[in-house]
Amino acid sequence: MTRIVVTSEVEDLKAFEKAFRTHGPILKKQGVISPCGYGFATEGNKAALCFEVDDVEALKEALKDQSAIDAMAEDGVVPGTYSLFVIDKNLEF
């Protein structure tokens, strides 16, 4: 399993949350295998998602699918602000 963090700017945080909470089936189709944590920046309209997948490349391809593009538009994701981070390092202490 690989942990993923996705960040983006959204037009409206409340509208984003309302729309995003309906996307469970899309997330499963994209290969998400864990509950999807999400939250918002303390300032501005920035959202972050955190989840796990088995296949990062399959996720990247799924995000190019029209259903993913439509879902992001429905959520109010601001074009050009979407970033995907593969969390593959740990700081042990």
Side-chain angles (χ1 to χ4, degrees):
M1 292 186 289
T2 303
R3 182 164 297 177
I4 302 293
V5 171
V6 175
T7 64
S8 64
E9 237 178 274
V10 298
E11 294 168 5
D12 178 277
L13 295 175
K14 288 182 182 182
F16 167 84
E17 184 172 24
K18 183 178 179 183
F20 176 73
R21 291 181 63 79
T22 68
H23 296 327
I26 294 171
L27 292 169
K28 286 181 181 180
K29 181 180 174 187
Q30 293 171 339
V32 174
I33 58 172
S34 67
C36 183
Y38 66 96
F40 308 115
T42 56
E43 294 182 18
N45 286 353
K46 296 179 183 174
L49 315 176
C50 181
F51 52 87
E52 293 180 340
V53 297
D54 280 328
D55 186 339
V56 174
E57 293 307 313
L59 171 66
K60 289 179 183 178
E61 285 302 311
L63 290 172
K64 295 176 187 176
D65 186 77
Q66 191 62 46
S67 65
I69 294 166
D70 292 345
M72 284 190 263
E74 180 183 324
D75 294 347
V77 173
V78 176
T81 65
Y82 172 92
S83 296
L84 185 143
F85 298 85
V86 175
I87 308 300
D88 58 356
K89 296 173 178 42
N90 287 308
L91 171 63
E92 302 292 334
F93 56 95

